Amino acid sequence: MCPVSVIDLRALESDPHAILADLRRTRPVAWVEELGAFVVTRRDLALTVLRDDATFTVDDPRFTTGRVLGASMLSTDGDEHARRRAPFARPFRLAAVRKRHAASVRAEVARLLTAMPPDGPVDLRERLTAPLAAATMVDALALDAPVSEVLAIYETIAAAVSGLAMGAQPPSAAADAMTRLARLVARPAELADTAVLLFGGIETTDGMIANALLHVLAAPGVALAVLDDEALLANAVEESLRLEPAAATIDRYTTCRVLLGGVRIPRRSLVTVSVAAANRDPETFPDPDRFDPHRANARLHLAFAQGPHVCLGMHLARLEAHVALGETLRRFPHLRLDPDLPSVPRGLVFRKPSSLSVLLRAPAGS
Ligand code: HEM
């Protein structure tokens, strides 16, 4: 008999960490009826799942992204996966990303910061993190369209994927969005793979930068400390990825019966790796709920996954986050969170604040 957990999904969406900590302590592999999944919350077991694509595959007809986009590198394993990922491997390596994107990301961040309004609260998701992530992917994929058009396509696809995760059917609007995307893409690779990059590159990077700004601004003295210390700024971004990974869960399907953490999992079961839980496993991260920009092993987080599907865009996402944080803090030394509109990350799969309201300048007369 496997351990069964009853979970309030709304609580899991708004404040999952206490629930996940309880699961990790008592049932690190637990059948959660409300999700229809075996949820894995311990970091070592999460790694076992992510590294073994022969036992824990993405290749299953229930896979939500696959149902909206069609087969892509995200929904295939083995040779087919390698074939689809190969065209992107070289341009997304660290050195290639720096060479190709450092100047354009810097220019885009400068443009967005210059366009900030002169006073009043500003939503940094709307004015910085979302448009930066979108513009960077339009540039990276050489899409022949204004950022606003690409964002509209992206939002239709994202809504369809989220709807499916909540049990809805893929809407016809998603197919139309894919047709519109097909017209914009110069084709070195397959359309579904380009759509996966677009999706991965916008949603999660927007969330990653918003969460990092939120963590840095909420911790006393950290904004000032990271200003003069690039290494500390980079580590603060890793610590933020650990504490609130923008993609909080990763789904796999078992290809055979398997014993994981002492729990028998039948063949063709959904196994959901909780990255959010693995990233706060106290075996690896002492005092795991604390945001500590100096944490020596922050980079051991699993926010970019591990194994064959490890995030292709992590170097580009990090570059965007480092430049966005550094330049914003430099340009606005009085930057602080808006006390009247608190920002809190939320979401079951993708976690970020719905808005990030800040005050950019010192109050008049101060
Ligand atoms: C420039 C930005 C990004 C791009 C272009 C990008 C692209 C991709 C692609 C193409 C994959 C699929 C790789 C494969 O299946 O072989 C992937 C996987 C993944 N990415 Fe990213 N990504 C970006 C940013 C991010 C960010 C900011 C996060 C989280 C903080 C993230 C988390 C993940 C995770 C968890 C996976 C594994 C998904 C799975 O195995 O099911 N990505 N990414």
Side-chain angles (χ1 to χ4, degrees):
M1 183 64 188
C2 67
V4 176
S5 300
V6 178
I7 278 186
D8 176 351
L9 282 191
R10 260 185 307 193
L12 200 62
E13 215 174 346
S14 54
D15 190 8
H17 299 296
I19 300 172
L20 293 172
D22 184 50
L23 275 185
R24 192 181 47 236
R25 204 173 41 250
T26 56
R27 290 146 294 174
V29 176
W31 170 255
V32 176
E33 186 71 36
E34 294 82 352
L35 297 172
F38 288 87
V39 175
V40 179
T41 44
R42 234 170 61 194
R43 184 176 177 281
D44 60 327
L45 299 173
L47 281 170
T48 302
V49 172
L50 294 175
R51 287 175 176 163
D52 179 1
D53 63 341
T55 310
F56 302 95
T57 185
V58 291
D59 192 353
D60 187 281
R62 289 165 286 177
F63 185 63
T64 47
T65 312
R67 283 169 63 195
V68 176
L69 304 180
S72 73
M73 73 179 103
L74 256 190
S75 65
T76 51
D77 276 314
D79 292 347
E80 170 76 355
H81 170 254
R83 180 185 73 74
R84 288 175 173 278
R85 190 169 159 123
F88 301 100
R90 195 184 288 269
F92 280 94
R93 279 193 202 133
L94 179 60
V97 161
R98 287 198 177 142
K99 193 163 167 225
R100 160 94 170 74
H101 295 284
S104 52
V105 167
R106 217 163 262 289
E108 183 61 13
V109 168
R111 194 185 69 76
L112 292 165
L113 294 178
T114 303
M116 294 286 169
D119 50 30
V122 167
D123 178 2
L124 284 184
R125 275 213 49 222
E126 184 194 338
R127 308 293 298 238
L128 177 68
T129 63
L132 171 65
T136 304
M137 287 319 294
V138 169
D139 184 36
L141 297 171
L143 298 180
D144 185 16
V147 174
S148 57
E149 187 180 338
V150 176
L151 262 182
I153 294 175
Y154 152 78
E155 273 159 15
T156 309
I157 298 173
V161 174
S162 309
L164 272 186
M166 306 302 269
Q169 287 301 308
S172 61
D176 296 346
M178 286 298 279
T179 312
R180 273 151 63 211
L181 181 61
R183 282 194 219 114
L184 308 179
V185 177
R187 292 278 193 100
E190 290 195 35
L191 180 63
D193 294 308
T194 303
V196 164
L197 265 108
L198 188 64
F199 189 71
I202 298 179
E203 168 78 43
T204 45
T205 310
D206 170 12
M208 168 184 174
I209 305 172
N211 291 344
L213 278 163
L214 184 54
H215 284 129
V216 164
L217 292 175
V222 173
L224 202 63
V226 299
L227 253 187
D228 294 329
D229 188 338
E230 268 181 42
L232 184 62
L233 185 143
N235 207 56
V237 169
E238 298 307 312
E239 175 69 346
S240 169
L241 282 165
R242 182 190 70 78
L243 210 57
E244 208 61 88
T249 61
I250 300 177
D251 286 348
R252 296 291 185 262
Y253 298 89
T254 47
T255 57
C256 53
R257 267 195 312 169
V258 54
L259 193 65
L260 183 72
V263 173
R264 258 177 230 296
I265 303 182
R267 181 171 171 264
R268 300 205 68 227
S269 300
L270 172 59
V271 174
T272 295
V273 172
S274 171
V275 178
N279 280 1
R280 293 189 187 209
D281 189 333
E283 279 294 310
T284 304
F285 305 107
D287 197 1
D289 298 326
R290 197 162 78 90
F291 175 71
D292 173 8
H294 294 278
R295 190 182 291 275
N297 68 356
R299 275 181 85 104
L300 294 183
H301 66 73
L302 305 182
F304 292 122
Q306 282 243 342
H309 292 275
V310 65
C311 178
L312 194 67
M314 63 182 162
H315 302 306
L316 182 53
R318 282 185 171 126
L319 170 70
E320 290 177 59
H322 296 165
V323 175
L325 256 77
E327 291 306 308
T328 308
L329 297 174
R330 210 158 288 133
R331 179 134 0 169
F332 300 106
H334 298 284
L335 180 68
R336 63 206 186 284
L337 293 170
D338 181 352
D340 296 329
L341 202 57
S343 306
V344 186
R346 48 176 297 123
L348 203 56
V349 180
F350 298 115
R351 286 186 62 76
K352 55 177 177 288
S354 57
S355 64
L356 181 56
S357 187
V358 297
L359 302 166
L360 295 175
R361 298 174 177 87
S366 70

